[in-house]
Amino acid sequence: MPEATVARLPVYLRALNALAETGRTTVSSEALATASGVGSAKLRKDLSHLGSYGTRGVGYDVQELVFHISRALGLGQRWSVVLVGVGNLGQALAGYGGFDDRGFRIAALLDADPARTGELVAGLPIRLLSDLADVVRDEGVSIGLIATPAAGAQDVCDRLVACGVRSILNFAPTVLQVPEDVDVRRVDLSNELQILSFHEHRKAAEAEVVPA
Amino acid sequence: MPEATVARLPVYLRALNALAETGRTTVSSEALATASGVGSAKLRKDLSHLGSYGTRGVGYDVQELVFHISRALGLGQRWSVVLVGVGNLGQALAGYGGFDDRGFRIAALLDADPARTGELVAGLPIRLLSDLADVVRDEGVSIGLIATPAAGAQDVCDRLVACGVRSILNFAPTVLQVPEDVDVRRVDLSNELQILSFHEHRKAAEAEVVPA
DNA sequence: CCGACTTTGTGCGCGCGTTCACAAGCGCGT
DNA sequence: ACGCGCTTGTGAACGCGCGCACAAAGTCGG
Ligand SMILES: NC(=O)c1ccc[n+]([C@@H]2O[C@H](COP(=O)([O-])OP(=O)(O)OC[C@H]3O[C@@H](n4cnc5c(N)ncnc54)[C@H](O)[C@@H]3O)[C@@H](O)[C@H]2O)c1
Ligand SMILES: NC(=O)c1ccc[n+]([C@@H]2O[C@H](COP(=O)([O-])OP(=O)(O)OC[C@H]3O[C@@H](n4cnc5c(N)ncnc54)[C@H](O)[C@@H]3O)[C@@H](O)[C@H]2O)c1
């Protein structure tokens, strides 16, 4: 399964859920592609990696597709995640309702600041970072979210890896060094802004050269 | 300039700034590549798109590279951004200090909820969404951040586009429909988690087949 | 039952991006 | 001055992913 396809499956899944809520039972590749912001050929090729679940002349059954994509993504089970760093961003993440809907459960909130231990955030008590090993073992955690400042991110990452966590989502603006069997995905706001800045800059330059 | 290269330039820039703070004045492609999590050949090819600013046998001058990458990304000027949707996530974004450092200024906070108008968040008053056109004109806003629920995102997006904003960073889990001269980048947390879920799932399946 | 229409699944060619490998270039020690 | 070692910049090969285009396959109306 191509990595590029995997990255798009969640988008399709969301579009399908939205369609299901409107009562649609079937959808064509063209319609689903438009709703997902991709071309229809690409969509069909992506779906073909899951098997042949479409009906020629009709399209795809919405529920069936939801099931197969969910299964391919491993969403059959509920994944437990641990959130490290309950600051500005961490609190927003803890209070976000969009996790539960999609099969993810925040098992615990950890922070290095002892002054915050015991504080309730979104119904969960903040625990000390030193509890990490216990949390991972007891709660069956397999995904770690890092929302600490950049300075502490690598250390937190190393601890997660030492506890057996092999999937990490990193919000700190750092490139984490990990063993090759560990997956790290970065969400970096400033990066995104700078990429937008580049294009905005380019557009402005073009408008300069060709004013009318 | 290849899009893939543009997406990596901010990463190099951050690594360079970190190096500069340690007092390093020059850096080899090998060292910078490791710090950025890429291969050295890829790094050199990326940098070659900016010009030839390295010295053979020595490496790159850190400050000089910072300058050239910043210029290529259009970071010479301060970009004004408007944040729409000051909820859970919006507040975290408003309070984030990482914008100013990198040349971005939050010009205004907008929300549809009249009950919150005037409330101060991170030193800025929340204004009504209907002020959007004024804000964009008066503050020279060129980038919009959407942090509203998915249901309102497309409407907000349309308003931004109508006001002349051509670069949008979307945190809502929706695919926005925009004219082709508008750039939209998505930051979707659930997407990232589901991609991690896929790999975790796959790793677990492999461990099952080959237990030892 | 048949023919027209719709939509899937995919073979194929192409273009972009990555990687390898090395010649050219620069500094430094002698 | 000169050669040695290090590092850049890049040509060339490779591989992946994208989009086109179409045959296969199914539906639906008559
Ligand atoms: N706030 C945002 O909107 C935003 C946006 C993009 C990126 N980020 C990034 O997310 C990260 C967190 O941002 P924030 O605004 O929440 O910062 P913050 O300072 O508000 O919160 C950081 C929290 O992490 C805790 N912490 C510090 N070191 C730790 C460690 N080693 N182990 C465990 N916990 C530790 C602190 O006690 C604090 O509670 C930063 O790296 C920031 O760059 C934040
Ligand atoms: N909280 C998180 O950590 C998190 C993580 C990932 C994604 N998101 C996404 O970010 C978005 C915001 O999440 P949140 O947790 O802050 O939600 P929230 O409900 O806390 O805040 C939403 C804010 O947007 C305002 N709003 C609603 N409709 C609006 C409109 N049409 N125009 C202007 N403002 C409007 C509301 O008044 C509210 O203040 C959602 O789409 C969510 O899926 C949030």
Side-chain angles (χ1 to χ4, degrees):
Chain A
M1 172 105 57
E3 185 60 32
T5 294
V6 174
R8 283 186 295 267
L9 289 181
V11 180
Y12 304 151
L13 190 54
R14 208 181 275 276
L16 285 167
N17 281 325
L19 282 170
E21 282 181 15
T22 70
R24 284 285 292 272
T25 59
T26 64
V27 64
S28 71
S29 63
E30 191 62 41
L32 183 55
T34 303
S36 305
V38 300
S40 62
K42 196 191 287 191
L43 171 71
R44 287 198 299 276
K45 188 153 290 188
D46 283 342
L47 295 184
S48 75
H49 290 289
L50 306 176
S52 288
Y53 300 117
T55 306
R56 291 165 196 244
V58 178
Y60 300 89
D61 182 90
V62 174
Q63 296 297 342
E64 193 180 358
L65 215 43
V66 167
F67 173 77
H68 287 296
I69 293 179
S70 295
R71 196 159 55 92
L73 288 174
L75 301 181
Q77 55 191 287
R78 279 185 83 69
W79 297 97
S80 292
V81 307
V82 60
L83 172 60
V84 184
V86 193
N88 228 340
L89 179 62
Q91 266 164 0
L93 293 175
Y96 183 45
F99 290 135
D100 286 311
D101 310 344
R102 319 228 152 246
F104 297 94
R105 183 182 72 91
I106 296 189
L109 310 177
L110 303 181
D111 201 292
D113 186 356
R116 302 200 58 190
T117 302
E119 183 183 330
L120 284 182
V121 172
L124 278 176
I126 299 183
R127 302 171 62 175
L128 271 177
L129 184 57
S130 50
D131 288 352
L132 179 60
D134 294 338
V135 168
V136 170
R137 185 173 11 85
D138 300 344
E139 307 278 352
V141 167
S142 45
I143 299 177
L145 306 191
I146 299 179
T148 67
Q154 183 65 55
D155 175 55
V156 169
C157 174
D158 293 341
R159 290 170 186 253
L160 284 167
V161 171
C163 293
V165 175
R166 288 177 301 178
S167 297
I168 294 173
L169 189 51
N170 179 29
F171 291 89
T174 325
V175 175
L176 297 174
Q177 309 290 338
V178 292
E180 64 172 341
D181 67 326
V182 176
D183 280 318
V184 177
R185 296 192 67 85
R186 293 182 60 202
V187 176
D188 191 328
L189 197 19
S190 296
N191 267 28
E192 300 297 322
L193 282 178
Q194 287 173 6
I195 295 170
L196 285 177
S197 163
F198 170 85
H199 291 295
E200 192 70 24
H201 186 56
R202 193 179 42 72
K203 284 185 217 167
E206 277 175 13
E208 192 82 16
V209 176
V210 191
Chain B
M1 171 106 56
E3 184 60 32
T5 295
V6 174
R8 283 186 294 267
L9 289 181
V11 180
Y12 304 150
L13 189 54
R14 208 181 274 278
L16 285 167
N17 282 325
L19 282 170
E21 282 180 16
T22 70
R24 284 285 291 271
T25 58
T26 63
V27 64
S28 71
S29 64
E30 190 63 40
L32 183 54
T34 302
S36 306
V38 301
S40 62
K42 195 190 288 191
L43 171 71
R44 286 197 301 274
K45 186 148 289 189
D46 283 341
L47 295 185
S48 75
H49 290 289
L50 306 178
S52 289
Y53 301 116
T55 306
R56 294 167 195 244
V58 177
Y60 300 89
D61 181 272
V62 173
Q63 297 297 343
E64 194 181 358
L65 256 196
V66 167
F67 173 78
H68 286 294
I69 293 179
S70 295
R71 198 159 53 93
L73 288 174
L75 301 181
Q77 57 190 286
R78 280 185 82 70
W79 297 96
S80 292
V81 307
V82 60
L83 172 61
V84 185
V86 192
N88 228 338
L89 179 62
Q91 265 164 359
L93 294 176
Y96 183 45
F99 290 135
D100 285 311
D101 309 342
R102 319 228 153 246
F104 298 93
R105 183 183 73 92
I106 296 190
L109 310 177
L110 303 181
D111 202 292
D113 186 356
R116 304 198 57 190
T117 302
E119 184 184 329
L120 283 182
V121 173
L124 278 175
I126 299 183
R127 302 171 61 173
L128 272 178
L129 183 57
S130 49
D131 287 352
L132 179 60
D134 294 337
V135 169
V136 170
R137 183 172 16 85
D138 299 343
E139 306 277 353
V141 167
S142 45
I143 299 177
L145 307 189
I146 299 180
T148 68
Q154 182 66 55
D155 175 54
V156 170
C157 173
D158 292 342
R159 289 171 186 253
L160 284 168
V161 171
C163 293
V165 175
R166 288 178 301 180
S167 296
I168 293 172
L169 190 51
N170 179 29
F171 292 89
T174 325
V175 175
L176 297 174
Q177 310 291 337
V178 292
E180 65 173 342
D181 67 326
V182 176
D183 280 319
V184 177
R185 296 192 67 86
R186 292 181 59 203
V187 175
D188 191 327
L189 197 22
S190 296
N191 265 30
E192 300 297 321
L193 281 177
Q194 288 173 5
I195 295 170
L196 285 177
S197 163
F198 171 85
H199 291 295
E200 192 71 24
H201 186 55
R202 193 179 41 74
K203 284 184 217 163
E206 275 175 12
E208 192 83 14
V209 176
V210 190

